[in-house]
Amino acid sequence: MGMRTDPNPTLADKLATAIADGILNGTLPPGERLDEVGLAEQHGVSRTPVREALRQLAMSGLIDMRPRKGAIVSKATPEEIESLFVAMAEMEATCARLAAMSMTPIERRRLQARHESMVALAAAGETEAYSDANVAFHSAIYAGAHNAPLAEYAMSLRRRVGPFRRAQFRMDGRLLRSNQEHDAVVRAILSGDATGAHAAMIHHVSLVEDAFEAFAAINAA
């Protein structure tokens, strides 16, 4: 069975996002134990999606899964986060380069439509809606590369980086800047400029990392 590449968030994804938000904003401090039963009752779900959410967060380095102790809030080091962003940038840039060469005309039109629909979300400051649309936007580029293994690897890595990518959207003005960066990526893909698409995506993800570092510094103060 292949890895799920559907950009629509599952219940476990939503739980992982809610828990990650608490960790990144300091509500859940390092060392705190996350109780599966308590989380399930708090969110009105069974323990199965809670376990999956905790597994996702462990992959991001936000929690540690310890024998007989369960899930403990951790703190990903700056070096670990940087490594994730470097890998994500290279992976997404490769997808963008291949998408510029391989996307069908209808895929290009759909990508442009996704991008244009996000302009209004960014202008209105709709952080959650923009973040969800952002996952779908990048997923369309993975699919447009027309390389199934690469798309699966990119989506898997994105889930690890996801909590950090969502957090940076809380920085003032970040939605509009993100949308402007997307514009450079989209223009390169639509024109079939593989080299330009690769460079634009590397630049975009590097700025995402910068924005997260700024967010983390403010929340650590």
Side-chain angles (χ1 to χ4, degrees):
M1 184 186 301
M3 185 176 296
R4 185 177 66 85
T5 56
D6 183 355
N8 295 320
T10 64
L11 180 56
D13 292 335
K14 292 176 181 178
L15 285 170
T17 295
I19 298 168
D21 285 348
I23 295 172
L24 292 172
N25 67 24
T27 303
L28 297 172
E32 182 157 331
R33 181 174 178 272
L34 300 177
D35 177 59
E36 281 186 16
V37 175
L39 287 170
E41 291 176 351
Q42 177 184 344
H43 294 281
V45 298
S46 71
R47 292 174 66 178
T48 300
V50 171
R51 288 194 194 101
E52 172 59 22
L54 294 178
R55 188 187 68 80
Q56 291 183 25
L57 294 173
M59 291 175 62
S60 295
L62 290 175
I63 66 171
D64 287 330
M65 301 298 291
R66 300 178 184 174
R68 295 182 297 280
K69 290 188 177 180
I72 306 294
V73 175
S74 181
K75 187 173 183 180
T77 67
E79 292 77 17
E80 289 170 339
I81 295 172
E82 181 183 10
S83 293
L84 284 173
F85 272 109
V86 168
M88 189 81 261
E90 294 295 338
M91 189 80 73
E92 293 212 8
T94 298
C95 287
R97 179 174 62 82
L98 293 177
M101 296 188 291
S102 306
M103 265 189 167
T104 65
I106 192 169
E107 285 175 325
R108 293 174 199 266
R109 288 195 296 273
R110 286 173 177 166
L111 181 67
Q112 185 173 21
R114 283 189 186 278
H115 171 55
E116 290 173 353
S117 71
M118 293 173 72
V119 174
L121 295 176
E126 296 283 352
T127 303
E128 291 303 317
Y130 185 92
S131 184
D132 289 342
N134 186 56
V135 174
F137 172 82
H138 283 270
S139 297
I141 294 175
Y142 306 161
H146 289 266
N147 184 303
L150 182 63
E152 289 183 356
Y153 298 149
M155 186 62 76
S156 176
L157 186 55
R158 186 179 183 87
R159 289 196 185 96
R160 296 181 66 181
V161 182
F164 311 114
R165 294 185 81 146
R166 291 183 70 91
Q168 52 98 27
F169 284 134
R170 298 195 186 95
M171 296 297 293
D172 287 344
R174 180 60 197 149
L175 297 186
L176 288 171
R177 290 194 297 274
S178 169
N179 200 245
Q180 291 165 358
E181 293 155 23
H182 284 179
D183 192 64
V185 174
V186 171
R187 281 189 284 107
I189 290 176
L190 295 183
S191 65
D193 180 3
T195 301
H198 186 279
M201 186 63 86
I202 286 277
H203 182 63
H204 170 52
V205 180
S206 71
L207 293 177
V208 171
E209 180 183 4
D210 290 346
F212 173 74
E213 288 176 353
F215 168 84
I218 290 172
N219 279 268

